[in-house]
Amino acid sequence: MTDSPPVTDRDVYITRAFAAPRAVVWRFFTDPALLATWFGPTGFSVPVDSVTVEPRVGGAWNLTMVGESGEQAPITGILTAVEPPEYLEVRLGAQTLEGELEDIVLRIRLHDHGDRTRVTLHQGPFPADEMRDMTADGWEQSFVKLDRELEAADR
């Protein structure tokens, strides 16, 4: 398994447990139709036709978040590590409402946690605290949406 570098004050680091088996949570990060259902902060959606996920090293991980008033925030990435159903690493660029981000690494690690799955997310480094904080808030809001999607999928 790929080792992550230390977390710095320029990074986002979130750990959270979800009420679903690891294989299911993995699909919500790698299946374009499922990723589109939850990704993005409150007030943003992701059109499924904007999502590309090629879960292999060198594969694409792209999507576009669209705000309620039509503003677009595309994210483009290349997968640099893929270890199903445990680890994804993506080198990202993004056009955010606050400016452009380049060469940001997103690491997502999934662990069995009893009958739940613990996701550990490490993303960075960010060039400014505002972008780091905005990204952390966006992930927290996205994870609330993911909780709802996982609950609905379990019915």
Side-chain angles (χ1 to χ4, degrees):
M1 176 132 344
T2 306
D3 290 329
S4 293
V7 177
T8 73
D9 62 355
R10 308 304 288 177
D11 298 337
V12 171
Y13 187 84
I14 300 169
T15 183
R16 182 173 179 143
F18 293 95
R22 185 169 48 165
V24 172
V25 177
W26 175 262
R27 285 195 356 254
F28 273 84
F29 279 94
T30 59
D31 180 314
L34 295 175
L35 184 60
T37 65
W38 64 271
F39 193 91
T42 304
F44 282 82
S45 62
V46 174
V48 71
D49 63 350
S50 77
V51 182
T52 303
V53 179
E54 300 167 338
R56 59 177 169 74
V57 172
W61 196 89
N62 305 324
L63 57 83
T64 299
M65 296 184 299
V66 179
E68 292 172 335
S69 58
E71 66 273 24
Q72 295 190 6
I75 299 172
T76 58
I78 299 294
L79 287 152
T80 56
V82 180
E83 298 171 20
E86 297 177 23
Y87 185 73
L88 284 175
E89 184 175 291
V90 189
R91 188 162 301 276
L92 299 171
Q95 188 60 46
T96 75
L97 302 177
E98 302 299 318
E100 191 170 333
L101 289 173
E102 295 179 334
D103 208 26
I104 303 294
V105 179
L106 169 63
R107 298 168 185 90
I108 301 166
R109 193 172 305 274
L110 286 75
H111 308 269
D112 290 327
H113 193 74
D115 60 350
R116 302 168 63 83
T117 299
R118 177 152 304 278
V119 172
T120 303
L121 180 144
H122 178 190
Q123 187 175 8
F126 288 89
D129 291 350
E130 297 80 21
M131 289 188 162
R132 179 204 58 216
D133 295 347
M134 177 184 65
T135 300
D137 289 344
W139 276 114
E140 293 289 357
Q141 292 169 36
S142 293
F143 284 166
V144 169
K145 292 169 27 177
L146 178 54
D147 275 329
R148 285 194 302 257
E149 291 299 320
L150 290 167
E151 182 180 311
D154 192 38
R155 291 186 201 147

